[in-house]
C-alpha cells in the first residue's frame, strides 16, 4: 500500500497514553456510577419502595425522606453513567490539543459541541 | 408495598426489579457475544412484560448501551482492537444522528408510541435477517487507503493469528462510512439501540475494516451515540429511575461476562438462538401495538 504511513499502534495510530487515559476515564465512570446505582437501589429497597413506580421520573421522590436519598443516588448514578462517554471525548480533546494534533482536537471538539447542543436543544424542546 | 402487574399478574415491585435485572443480564450477555447490543431484546421486553410506554423503554435501553460500551473498556478482551481515530471520526456523525433521532422520538413521535413500536418491529426484522445472512468479509489486501483516511491517520494494523506479526489495513470510503454512521445514530436515538447492527457491517464491508476491529470500535462508539440520545430523554424526564437502574446494572454484568466468554463459546451457533429471541420479542411487541396483548 503505497502512500500509507506506518501505524504506531495496533488498531490505529492513537498514542498509547491516549488509549490508556480513555480506558481510565471509562473505568472510573463505570465504577462510580455502578456503586451509586447499587447503593441507591438497595437503600430504596430497604424502605420498601413505598409509592414508587417503575417510571417515576428523575428527581427526588419526597424531599427529605430516605426514598428521596435513594432516588437521588440512583439519579446521580445514571447522570454519571451518561456523562462517562462525554468525559471520554473531553479527555481526548484535551490530550490531542496537548499533543499538538489540531485535526483531532477539532474532530473531538466537534463531537463535544454536538453533545452540548443536545443539552441546549433538549431544554428548548 | 408498591406492586406492579406483569402480564396481568400483580407482583411486588422488588420482584419486578429482579426480573428486569435478570433480563438485562441475558440481553447484555447475548448482545456482547454477538456484538449487537441488548436493546433489541430489552425494549420489547420492557414494553410487553411491564406495560411501560416505549419512550421509557428506549431511554432505559440507551442507558444500558452506555453501560455496555463503557463496561467493555474494563474488559481486557477488546481494547487492543479499537481504532480510536476511526471511532472519533465517525462519532461526529453518530452523535449528530443520535441527537436527531432522540429529538424526533420526544417531539414528533411523543404521542405516537404505536408508530415507534411498529417501526421497532421492522428494525428487529432487519436484525434477524442480518443474523442469518450477515457474513464477515476479509479485508481487501493491496487496496490503497482513501486520501482522507491517510490524512486522518485512520489506517491501522491487526495481529495475524497464525502467520505472526501485524497486518495493515487501508480504510476506504470514509465519506460513505460517515453517512452510514449518521443513519446508525438516528436509529440509536429513535429506538434505543446501539447501532452496531448498521455500523459493524458498514465498517467491515464498505470501509475495509477487519471485523474484530469494526466490532471493538463500534462498541466504543455506541457510548457517545447513546449519550446524545440519553441526554435528551434525561432532560425531558423520560428516564424512569427504577427501570433504568436495574437495566444498566444487569447489562453491565452480562456484557462483561459475554466479552470474557466470547473466545470460549461457539458464537456462530448462538446466532439462531439470538435471532429467535429477538423475533419472539418483536412479535410480542407487534401484538401489543395492534392491541392483541393487554
Amino acid at each position: 500500500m503505497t502512500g500509507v504511513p506506518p501505524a504506531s499502534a495496533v488498531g490505529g495510530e492513537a498514542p498509547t497514553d491516549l488509549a490508556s487515559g480513555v480506558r481510565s476515564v471509562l473505568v472510573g465512570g463505570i465504577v462510580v456510577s455502578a456503586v451509586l446505582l447499587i447503593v441507591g437501589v438497595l437503600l430504596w429497597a430497604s424502605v420498601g419502595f413505598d409509592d414508587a413506580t417503575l417510571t417515576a421520573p428523575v428527581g427526588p421522590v419526597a424531599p427529605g425522606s430516605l426514598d428521596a436519598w435513594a432516588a437521588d443516588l440512583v439519579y446521580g448514578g445514571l447522570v454519571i453513567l451518561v456523562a462517562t462517554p462525554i468525559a471520554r471525548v473531553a479527555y481526548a480533546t484535551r490530550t490531542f490539543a496537548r499533543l499538538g494534533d489540531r485535526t483531532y482536537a477539532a474532530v473531538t471538539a466537534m463531537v463535544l459541541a454536538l453533545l452540548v447542543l443536545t443539552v441546549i436543544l433538549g431544554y428548548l424542546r | 408495598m408498591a406492586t406492579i402487574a406483569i402480564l396481568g399478574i400483580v407482583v411486588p415491585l422488588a420482584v419486578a426489579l429482579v426480573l428486569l435485572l435478570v433480563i438485562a443480564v441475558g440481553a447484555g450477555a447475548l448482545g456482547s457475544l454477538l456484538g449487537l447490543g441488548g436493546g433489541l431484546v430489552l425494549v420489547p421486553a420492557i414494553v410487553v412484560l411491564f406495560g411501560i410506554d416505549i419512550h421509557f423503554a428506549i431511554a432505559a435501553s440507551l442507558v444500558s448501551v452506555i453501560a455496555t460500551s463503557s463496561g467493555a473498556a474494563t474488559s481486557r478482551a477488546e481494547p487492543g482492537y479499537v481504532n480510536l481515530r476511526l471511532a472519533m471520526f465517525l462519532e461526529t456523525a453518530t452523535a449528530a444522528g443520535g441527537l436527531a433521532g432522540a429529538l424526533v422520538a420526544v417531539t414528533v413521535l411523543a404521542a405516537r408510541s404505536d408508530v415507534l413500536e411498529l417501526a421497532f418491529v421492522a428494525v428487529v426484522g432487519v436484525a434477524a435477517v442480518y443474523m442469518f445472512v450477515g457474513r464477515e468479509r476479509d479485508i481487501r489486501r493491496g487496496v490503497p487507503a482513501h486520501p482522507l483516511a491517510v490524512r486522518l491517520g485512520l489506517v491501522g494494523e491487526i495481529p495475524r493469528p497464525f502467520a505472526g506479526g501485524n497486518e495493515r489495513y487501508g480504510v476506504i470510503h470514509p465519506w460513505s462510512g460517515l453517512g452510514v454512521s449518521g443513519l446508525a445514530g438516528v436509529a440509536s436515538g429513535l429506538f434505543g439501540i446501539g447501532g452496531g447492527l448498521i455500523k459493524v457491517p458498514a465498517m467491515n464491508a464498505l470501509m475495509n475494516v477487519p471485523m474484530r476491529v469494526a466490532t471493538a470500535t463500534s462498541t466504543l462508539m455506541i457510548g457517545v451515540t447513546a449519550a446524545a440520545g440519553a441526554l435528551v430523554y434525561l432532560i425531558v424526564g423520560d428516564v424512569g429511575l427504577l427501570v433504568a437502574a436495574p437495566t444498566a446494572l444487569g447489562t453491565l454484568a452480562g456484557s462483561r461476562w459475554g466479552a470474557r466468554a466470547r473466545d470460549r463459546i461457539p458464537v456462530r451457533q448462538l446466532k439462531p438462538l439470538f435471532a429467535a429471541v429477538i423475533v419472539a420479542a418483536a412479535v410480542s411487541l407487534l401484538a401489543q401495538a395492534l392491541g392483541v396483548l393487554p
Side-chain angles (χ1 to χ4, degrees), chain A:
Chain A
M1 260 179 283
T2 53
V4 177
S8 59
V10 173
E13 287 189 89
T16 309
D17 63 336
L18 171 63
S20 61
V22 161
R23 183 172 187 275
S24 299
V25 170
L26 294 178
V27 170
I30 209 84
V31 168
V32 173
S33 69
V35 168
L36 287 176
L37 289 175
I38 291 168
V39 172
V41 170
L42 289 179
L43 182 63
W44 212 333
S46 72
V47 292
F49 294 118
D50 288 344
D51 302 325
T53 66
L54 283 178
T55 55
V58 294
V61 177
S65 66
L66 211 52
D67 312 48
W69 265 94
D72 284 346
L73 284 174
V74 172
Y75 181 51
L78 292 174
V79 168
I80 288 175
L81 187 59
V82 173
T84 297
I86 301 170
R88 185 261 284 175
V89 177
Y91 174 83
T93 306
R94 205 198 74 174
T95 305
F96 280 123
R98 192 166 47 82
L99 293 171
D101 186 338
R102 278 185 288 185
T103 304
Y104 271 91
V107 166
T108 50
M110 195 187 305
V111 177
L112 213 49
L114 277 166
L115 294 168
V116 172
L117 181 67
T118 300
V119 175
I120 295 169
L121 289 178
Y123 279 113
L124 288 179
R125 159 206 162 262

Side-chain angles (χ1 to χ4, degrees), chain B residues 18-46 49-50 57 60-65 67-69 120 131 192-194 222 243 246-259 262 270 273-275 277-278 281:
Chain B
V18 172
L19 180 60
L20 197 51
L21 186 74
V22 171
I23 291 170
V25 169
L30 267 178
S32 174
L33 281 170
L34 300 169
L36 274 183
L40 292 168
V41 177
L42 278 175
V43 172
I46 292 172
L49 287 179
F50 302 98
S61 181
L62 283 172
V63 171
S64 79
V65 167
T68 302
S69 171
F120 191 93
M131 284 273 104
I193 59 176
I222 59 176
V243 182
T247 306
L249 288 171
T251 312
L252 178 62
S255 62
R256 276 181 55 76
W257 178 83
R262 195 177 299 160
L270 276 178
L273 171 67
F274 191 65
V277 169
I278 61 174

